Amino acid sequence: MRTRSSTGFNTIPENVAAVVFSHLGKDPKDRIRLAAVSKVWRSAEKSDASLPGTPRALCEFGKEFNSAVDASEHWKAFYWFEKSADHGDPEGMFWFGKWYLYGGCTGGSVTEENYTKAVHWFKRASELGHAEATRMVALCYEDGHGVERDFAKAIEWNVKAAELGWGFSAWWLGSAHLYGQHGLTENNNEALKWYRLAVELGDADTRQHWWEMSRMWVNDLEAELAAA
């Protein structure tokens, strides 16, 4: 009987192994089994040529498994988010960071919380212009997750997020100025500026609470400042 080694399975060239991986589809079970065969297969599994799609497509695979009703499928989401992040997709980095922040997004069923890694991936995504990841960095500074609690940095990162188009951060900044929170002094003009941006960035159709509150405060502050 011929063994695997006699058929050349263990010594197959990496470029050929990569082609095999590229035809395996989005369920990572067979990929993991093949990667365990030898160093060549492990290397091929990690290479660009072995990926069944672009880095963003890998992130979309992850989202599919992330929303699976069957919790036993969730580890596949983690697998693809990591692949997507490792290959430079900011959306993949954001989701990979969320898994570490919340312990797998499913109560820790796949990976434990690791705030340091969460901040690392959020910052990586932010560097590539990901607005929500930038907001998540701000949140980590607010709560002291993976970094020392620092409201000045939370404000700084929320400003970056708002400038990248994240409306919630604009609302957060408006409220911080309105109520004198997080080390800021009360300033209605600054509050109005950020609330206006929040309204501009928000979507009336989705009726987010922060958008409704921002719109209310724009009306109230404009009237108050006009009467002053």
Side-chain angles (χ1 to χ4, degrees):
M1 179 182 295
R2 293 197 303 175
T3 64
R4 281 183 174 178
S5 59
S6 67
T7 64
F9 190 78
N10 285 335
T11 57
I12 191 171
E14 184 177 328
N15 64 325
V16 176
V19 172
V20 174
F21 277 113
S22 70
H23 287 79
L24 290 181
K26 61 186 178 183
D27 190 324
K29 288 187 292 186
D30 290 335
R31 298 172 61 86
I32 292 171
R33 291 192 188 102
L34 277 176
V37 170
S38 70
K39 289 183 179 179
V40 169
W41 288 92
R42 281 195 297 276
S43 180
E45 191 266 342
K46 294 179 180 179
S47 70
D48 288 338
S50 72
L51 298 173
T54 64
R56 178 55 55 86
L58 306 183
C59 181
E60 295 305 315
F61 292 166
K63 290 179 182 179
E64 286 184 40
F65 289 118
N66 189 69
S67 60
V69 175
D70 184 355
S72 67
E73 296 284 281
H74 291 164
W75 69 270
K76 298 175 184 178
F78 185 78
Y79 177 92
W80 287 120
F81 287 146
E82 181 177 22
K83 287 289 182 186
S84 177
D86 283 343
H87 287 83
D89 180 52
E91 182 75 359
M93 294 174 187
F94 164 70
W95 277 92
F96 197 42
K98 280 185 69 176
W99 273 66
Y100 279 120
L101 182 64
Y102 298 118
C105 297
T106 56
S109 61
V110 177
T111 185
E112 294 181 355
E113 294 172 353
N114 187 318
Y115 296 144
T116 301
K117 288 185 177 181
V119 172
H120 167 79
W121 286 108
F122 290 146
K123 285 185 174 181
R124 286 279 305 277
S126 176
E127 290 169 1
L128 296 173
H130 197 287
E132 189 173 2
T134 306
R135 161 58 194 164
M136 297 305 285
V137 177
L139 178 64
C140 288
Y141 277 111
E142 284 178 57
D143 295 337
H145 286 162
V147 290
E148 287 191 22
R149 197 176 194 190
D150 188 328
F151 288 126
K153 287 190 178 294
I155 292 167
E156 176 187 334
W157 282 93
N158 271 304
V159 169
K160 290 180 182 179
E163 290 174 345
L164 286 170
W166 198 248
F168 181 90
S169 284
W171 167 81
W172 187 95
L173 290 162
S175 298
H177 283 288
L178 181 68
Y179 297 110
Q181 297 171 329
H182 311 306
L184 295 174
T185 56
E186 293 182 14
N187 187 320
N188 286 353
N189 286 301
E190 279 294 304
L192 179 58
K193 179 185 79 172
W194 289 110
Y195 281 137
R196 280 173 172 164
L197 181 59
V199 171
E200 178 184 332
L201 294 174
D203 183 353
D205 293 334
T206 59
R207 299 296 179 188
Q208 303 107 318
H209 174 70
W210 60 264
W211 185 87
E212 295 284 4
M213 293 296 293
S214 297
R215 187 178 63 165
M216 179 193 75
W217 278 115
V218 165
N219 292 334
D220 288 355
L221 288 170
E222 285 180 343
E224 181 179 325
L225 291 170

